[in-house]
Amino acid sequence: MRTHMVFRGCMALFGLTALTVTAACGSLFGVDFDDARRANADGGLPFGDGGNGHGDGSGTDNPQPPLADGGCASADRVVCGGSCVRRNDPAYGCGSCNACPLPSGASTTTCSVSSCSFTCPSGKKPQGSECVAKSWFGSKVTPQAIMGLWGTGKNDIYSIGLGGIHHFRGTGEWKLESSQPKAGKAMGASLAGLSPQSIIAIGGGAPYSMTSPEHWTPWNALGTCAESQSVWATSVDDVYAVAKYAICHSKNGGAFNKTFQPPDTINAIWGSSTGKIYAVGGGSTAPGIVYATTGDDAWSQVDNTHGALHAIWGIGDDIYAVGASIILRSHAGGPFVQQDTTMGGIFYGVWGSSVDDIYVVGGRGKILHSSNGSVWTEESPSADAVDFYSIWGSGPDDVYAAGATSDGGWVFHLQ
């Protein structure tokens, strides 16, 4: 969510991580606030001339601090936003401390001594004095399909796909940083980021690592896990990869060893902050499967009652698995429960900025959003020709969905 604050003399837009102030000082609400700031500091005569300020009989002056008992020194003042201001003062709009109107599309509004602020609901952003819907903007950024995304912020995002690894620094083009690894025609690719200087990538059955900027090198033989297509790690000494009929583990920088052989294809792997690791898969005719381990390589099946699954991700104790026309959710360690969604399609990616801001992406331009983990709405751009394979963001106001069309790799940005 974003909070938008309109100052009585200036306007300010508050983001999640940055503050942008656009000067628009002047005479909002029929009051010259620059003159108001020049009122007597002792709260006496409104403008030093004994007049009525702007001729409305109310007068306008600087707010005063309340007394020790919480009241105001003068009967014509009222406590509003922690200060004593004149009742119905037009400069502050705080006659009852609830004089701020609710802007179009906003969810809440509050009034303080010198400002009115409002909060936009999930999926909307402040624009001027109202909340408007966020929009997806897309462009072709690589000559071939993109299969995975990972980054540290809006100025440091990596993609991996059929054309190798590309890097986006916030402006300009997505630069090709390494032609290897890359996704194979029948295999996916993914990134496991540990820090801006430590990333592990798997594509086309080949693992690579970046230990310094723009320097990617082959990393550890996959051995019996040669067809691995998804990777997840807690550190360079604790890396997992999954392939057809195999879950593999690299410990202490060593080679990957197969630690579990399930009966069907494993498509993705992910680990929670609580130390539990999940792998999902399933084929076109076999049911979807979810396996879990606590990191000791002892895998157990926790679900096999739904369709084939292609991705898994979570936040806190909310875990989501997505696949063929299905979204599953496990809450607080409970069973995976199918979510009620009428939007069909094959889903390949899931990510969220918080428990009330979750995205799922899939084929034919599908982008779904949920603000509570249960009810899903479609936010898809006009991009039916794009198959989305991955989604990632630096926060609720900076989200990227990546995939492919017949002519290359595309990235859509929510802003």
Side-chain angles (χ1 to χ4, degrees), residues 174-306:
W174 288 68
K175 176 186 175 183
L176 178 63
E177 200 163 271
S178 176
S179 60
Q180 295 290 340
K182 60 184 179 181
K185 290 184 178 181
M187 289 181 283
S190 74
L191 298 163
L194 301 170
S195 74
Q197 291 77 39
S198 182
I199 306 172
I200 299 170
I202 280 186
Y208 276 65
S209 67
M210 186 198 76
T211 55
S212 61
E214 302 185 17
H215 185 63
W216 292 86
T217 57
W219 186 77
N220 284 355
L222 282 171
T224 57
C225 304
E227 294 185 347
S228 293
Q229 58 186 356
S230 179
V231 62
W232 183 82
T234 62
S235 70
V236 293
D237 294 323
D238 185 36
V239 184
Y240 293 83
V242 297
K244 289 183 178 180
Y245 314 110
I247 298 177
C248 306
H249 192 187
S250 169
K251 300 179 181 179
N252 302 317
F256 283 90
N257 293 308
K258 185 185 297 185
T259 60
F260 182 64
Q261 184 169 341
D264 210 333
T265 298
I266 300 297
N267 297 317
I269 190 166
W270 174 86
S272 71
S273 59
T274 61
K276 204 165 188 177
I277 304 166
Y278 297 86
V280 297
S284 58
T285 59
I289 48 178
V290 181
Y291 293 99
T293 182
T294 55
D296 56 4
D297 290 331
W299 292 86
S300 60
Q301 183 174 286
V302 295
D303 187 90
N304 71 337
T305 60
H306 303 90

Side-chain angles (χ1 to χ4, degrees), residues 34 75 86 124 153 208 278 297 319 322 347 365 370 374 390:
D34 293 324
R86 291 189 184 277
K124 293 190 175 183
Y208 276 65
Y278 297 86
D297 290 331
I319 312 297
V322 300
F347 303 119
S370 176
S374 298
S390 182

Side-chain angles (χ1 to χ4, degrees), residues 2 8 71 89 109 114 128 148 189 195 220 282 291 299 375 380 392 400:
R2 270 187 166 186
R8 308 298 195 192
D89 190 325
T109 183
S114 58
S195 74
N220 284 355
Y291 293 99
W299 292 86
V375 179
S380 304
W392 175 88
Y400 301 81

